[in-house]
Amino acid sequence: MEKLLFIFNRHSGKGQIKNSLVDIIDIFVKENYDVTVYTTQSQGDAINKVMASISDYDRIVCSGGDGTLDEVVTGVMKSKVRIPIGYIPAGSTNDFGNSLGIDKEMERSARIAAKGELFPCDAGRFGDDYFIYVAAFGIFTETSYSTSQRLKNALGHAAYLLEGIKQVNNVPSYHIRIETGETVIEDDFIYGMVTNSLSVGGFTGIIKGEVGLSDGLFEGCFVRTPKNMLELNDALAYLTGIKKSSAHVYNFQSNHFKLYCSEEMPWTLDGEYGGKHKDIDIECCHEAIDILVE
């Protein structure tokens, strides 16, 4: 009998997992797993739990928002033990779950986690840390970790927009040199992200070109600092999907991004606070983790 560790955040997405918890565990047991259940207690708890016990299990399944998945992936990457990861989405936006074709119907997602196919997926290295689908800085990024869980639960995706609008009148700007193997750019930016997802913050269409979750490439999107309100509105219209293109946005793909900033700036990794960094090295770890998909 294989051992399965089930880690979940009981507060994510209005706490709806409480209504499905017994059925989810029953699905795992019927698939002949010896199940251990663990509820996260604080930010970073899932990382520590995975690192402390990964060698005791054959499979890890997590449920929560993208941040919960991020912590499990981070724990696996830091442990350097390759183990299948199942995901039962329960967050407000579910960006990465949607990209994988895993919807929010919990019992269906649990069956995928129990007996789906292994998909070798790219993961991101961010200095000494890791992320699964997006590393970002600038306008709107703080809202993902500063918006209260109560507001997220009550309003869903709209909560991020309401919180983000507060920042528009005081947009920080950063002078950054961006280097990849193919591109060198130096400019002032209000927003930037390196991502491996079909949507970010619930918005689709921000990333241009072909997006493959296991192609060894990440997508970069960087928004230049606007000189006036017209340019700001143009950039925001692009970020929110109203416009299909913008002259104020750089888009390109690479497996390695190096950013050199004139000052420390705060980052978010998969919706969680990623610390302040002046210079940062971001690398695509090709097919580094195994995610269970349908």
Side-chain angles (χ1 to χ4, degrees), residues 139-197:
I139 187 172
F140 288 120
T141 56
E142 184 181 340
T143 66
S144 59
Y145 55 83
S146 65
T147 306
S148 72
Q149 187 66 52
R150 181 186 59 79
L151 193 61
K152 292 178 187 177
N153 290 346
L155 300 177
H157 178 55
Y160 293 101
L161 291 178
L162 290 175
E163 197 72 20
I165 287 169
K166 298 177 185 177
Q167 296 186 25
V168 172
N169 292 327
N170 186 27
V171 181
S173 177
Y174 303 99
H175 187 79
I176 307 171
R177 178 181 173 88
I178 304 167
E179 297 181 2
T180 74
E182 308 81 18
T183 306
V184 177
I185 296 169
E186 188 165 351
D187 212 328
D188 295 327
F189 298 95
I190 60 168
Y191 176 81
M193 67 178 178
V194 176
T195 183
N196 191 40
S197 179

Side-chain angles (χ1 to χ4, degrees), residues 7-256:
I7 299 175
F8 69 92
N9 179 351
R10 63 191 182 92
H11 299 294
S12 290
K14 301 180 183 178
Q16 73 251 35
I17 193 170
K18 298 171 187 175
N19 301 321
S20 303
L21 186 57
V22 172
D23 293 325
I24 290 170
I25 295 172
D26 185 58
I27 288 169
F28 296 154
V29 172
K30 280 184 167 60
E31 291 298 324
N32 204 33
Y33 287 104
D34 180 3
V35 182
T36 299
V37 176
Y38 184 83
T39 58
T40 58
Q41 302 299 305
S42 59
Q43 184 177 348
D45 192 27
I47 299 174
N48 297 329
K49 178 62 178 177
V50 170
M51 293 185 68
S53 57
I54 190 169
S55 59
D56 298 329
Y57 295 96
D58 303 290
R59 177 169 304 208
I60 297 175
V61 179
C62 64
S63 181
D66 291 327
T68 303
L69 177 62
D70 169 88
E71 290 194 8
V72 169
V73 168
T74 297
V76 170
M77 292 293 291
K78 288 188 173 183
S79 300
K80 294 180 170 54
V81 176
R82 190 140 184 168
I83 186 172
I85 301 172
Y87 182 40
I88 302 174
S92 302
T93 55
N94 189 33
D95 284 309
F96 197 64
N98 288 332
S99 296
L100 290 168
I102 303 173
D103 64 28
K104 285 189 172 184
E105 204 289 296
M106 288 191 160
E107 291 178 35
R108 175 176 171 271
S109 298
R111 292 188 183 93
I112 294 172
K115 58 180 181 180
E117 293 187 3
L118 291 179
F119 174 70
C121 184
D122 297 342
R125 182 183 63 78
F126 181 88
D128 295 327
D129 208 343
Y130 295 92
F131 64 97
I132 185 61
Y133 86 98
V134 64
F137 68 86
I139 187 172
F140 288 120
T141 56
E142 184 181 340
T143 66
S144 59
Y145 55 83
S146 65
T147 306
S148 72
Q149 187 66 52
R150 181 186 59 79
L151 193 61
K152 292 178 187 177
N153 290 346
L155 300 177
H157 178 55
Y160 293 101
L161 291 178
L162 290 175
E163 197 72 20
I165 287 169
K166 298 177 185 177
Q167 296 186 25
V168 172
N169 292 327
N170 186 27
V171 181
S173 177
Y174 303 99
H175 187 79
I176 307 171
R177 178 181 173 88
I178 304 167
E179 297 181 2
T180 74
E182 308 81 18
T183 306
V184 177
I185 296 169
E186 188 165 351
D187 212 328
D188 295 327
F189 298 95
I190 60 168
Y191 176 81
M193 67 178 178
V194 176
T195 183
N196 191 40
S197 179
L198 300 179
S199 68
V200 177
F203 296 116
T204 59
I206 297 176
I207 301 300
K208 304 305 176 186
E210 294 295 323
V211 177
L213 304 187
S214 60
D215 61 1
L217 294 172
F218 281 169
E219 286 69 43
C221 174
F222 299 91
V223 181
R224 291 166 48 200
T225 302
K227 295 182 176 62
N228 51 55
M229 283 302 298
L230 286 176
E231 291 186 1
L232 176 60
N233 289 338
D234 183 82
L236 292 176
Y238 174 82
L239 289 177
T240 53
I242 297 172
K243 292 190 66 175
K244 299 298 182 184
S245 63
S246 171
H248 310 292
V249 179
Y250 296 99
N251 275 301
F252 49 90
Q253 293 179 312
S254 181
N255 63 356
H256 203 166

